[in-house]
Amino acid sequence: MAHDTYWEADPGDLLRVGPGFSLAEQPTDGTPGFRGGKREGRSALSDGAKLLADLQEQLYAGGRQGDPRSVLLVLQAMDTAGKGGIVSHVIGSMGPGGVHYAAFEKPTPKELAHDFLWRIWRQLPAAGQVGVFDRSHYEDVLVGRVRHLAPPDEIERRYGAIDSFEGELSRSGTTVVKVMLHLGRDEQRKRLASRLENRDKLWKFNPGDVDDRLLWDDYAEAYQIILDRTSTKDAPWFVVPADHKWYARVAVQQILIDALQRLDLDWPVPEYDVEEQKRRLARS
């Protein structure tokens, strides 16, 4: 459950996609369930960092002792929605040894020679790890659909392949958490304009982002289909309002904390006699 200090309702319950969910009806500038504003959000993020780090270390320690479980966070969003900030400010609080990060760009010729899930399988977290996908297999039913990069029957096949893939992950011990950062069109324009006004941010600007803005409604439709077709009990989608970066970060942090707490983690029991090792150490 979310900490009562900062949350009046669990963000996981409020943001999880369920039957009849309409993306178009979801505000992008809200802060569902949170008490307070930006200042309180920063405090919540700071307070939650240690708890998240401790839970991740327990997961990692268990993996070293044979526990097969892992967690996979999938991040999808339009450009400038804040995926990088989530990675830096939320994932960055965890020990790097227990995190596996993968960013999926345009497929290479080698990757295109295989099924679309081939490159995804190769980046899955190992036992005890928290995996982070910065974009993911959903690009192949998002950009692939909007940009007509694959025939309609192939796009349709991929929805089923994704459900089967994520079901297999769940059965093998991977908790799948999928987050769409829901950014408003006007807010995206402001963020892109800010990049163009700052010399040290120009490298982040991609003219293709403007091309995608011209297809905004097509992307919204493609996202709605994804949410309808692939939000399941074992691999749910969470749609997080992203106009306020501080809220998106603290909400994703809390969703991850909840996912790890549900694993009922504990420190592994050592295979050696602790008291004996204390005596040996004292004599050494």
Side-chain angles (χ1 to χ4, degrees):
M1 291 294 293
H3 300 301
D4 291 341
T5 305
Y6 300 107
W7 296 93
E8 57 192 12
D10 193 319
D13 293 338
L14 296 174
L15 303 175
R16 184 182 290 106
V17 172
F21 180 90
S22 172
L23 184 63
E25 295 177 2
Q26 308 306 311
T28 60
D29 61 351
T31 58
F34 193 79
R35 292 192 178 102
K38 187 174 183 178
R39 184 178 63 180
E40 291 79 11
R42 287 175 172 172
S43 296
L45 192 68
S46 178
D47 289 354
K50 185 179 187 308
L51 176 56
L52 181 61
D54 287 346
L55 288 165
Q56 180 253 333
E57 189 176 3
Q58 285 185 327
L59 179 70
Y60 182 68
R64 295 288 298 271
Q65 299 295 320
D67 188 334
R69 294 179 296 176
S70 62
V71 173
L72 174 62
L73 172 66
V74 173
L75 293 173
Q76 285 288 153
M78 297 294 284
D79 289 299
T80 78
K83 297 189 304 300
I86 298 295
V87 174
S88 298
H89 296 278
V90 178
I91 305 304
S93 69
M94 297 189 284
V99 174
H100 179 73
Y101 170 82
F104 293 95
E105 304 292 343
K106 180 180 178 180
T108 65
K110 181 178 180 180
E111 290 169 342
L112 286 171
H114 296 269
D115 182 71
F116 78 105
L117 288 174
W118 179 79
R119 65 176 183 162
I120 307 299
W121 278 107
R122 295 161 61 87
Q123 295 293 343
L124 290 174
Q129 287 187 325
V130 173
V132 182
F133 282 179
D134 185 343
R135 302 188 188 276
S136 66
H137 41 297
Y138 284 98
E139 292 293 285
D140 295 280
V141 289
L142 185 65
V143 181
R145 181 186 184 92
V146 173
R147 294 288 185 176
H148 307 291
L149 301 179
D153 58 341
E154 171 59 16
I155 297 294
E156 186 67 22
R157 181 192 73 83
R158 290 175 184 177
Y159 294 122
I162 286 171
D163 273 347
S164 296
F165 165 67
E166 292 176 349
E168 185 173 346
L169 290 184
S170 178
R171 290 189 294 274
S172 66
T174 298
T175 297
V176 182
V177 178
K178 302 182 296 194
V179 170
M180 178 202 173
L181 299 175
H182 190 27
L183 183 69
R185 192 172 187 174
D186 289 344
E187 179 63 21
Q188 191 203 45
R189 181 170 55 243
K190 293 176 185 176
R191 294 183 186 183
L192 289 173
S194 177
R195 289 181 178 180
L196 288 171
E197 294 296 330
N198 291 278
R199 185 174 180 275
D200 59 348
K201 299 295 184 183
L202 290 176
W203 67 274
K204 285 188 171 185
F205 185 85
N206 183 342
D209 295 343
V210 179
D211 297 334
D212 282 342
R213 280 182 60 79
L214 299 175
L215 299 170
W216 189 275
D217 291 342
D218 295 331
Y219 275 105
E221 179 184 7
Y223 268 114
Q224 181 66 60
I225 294 171
I226 285 171
L227 299 174
D228 290 341
R229 297 289 298 273
T230 65
S231 190
T232 64
K233 179 182 178 181
D234 291 332
W237 275 103
F238 299 87
V239 172
V240 177
D243 283 6
H244 299 294
K245 293 180 180 179
W246 65 265
Y247 176 80
R249 292 167 186 172
V250 76
V252 173
Q253 181 192 69
Q254 188 59 55
I255 289 168
L256 271 178
I257 287 172
D258 287 348
L260 285 161
Q261 286 179 330
R262 284 196 298 272
L263 296 179
D264 195 22
L265 298 166
D266 200 355
W267 299 108
V269 178
E271 297 178 354
Y272 53 84
D273 187 312
V274 175
E275 296 305 318
E276 179 186 356
Q277 296 308 310
K278 288 181 180 179
R279 290 191 294 270
R280 291 184 67 234
L281 179 62
R283 292 195 299 268
S284 69

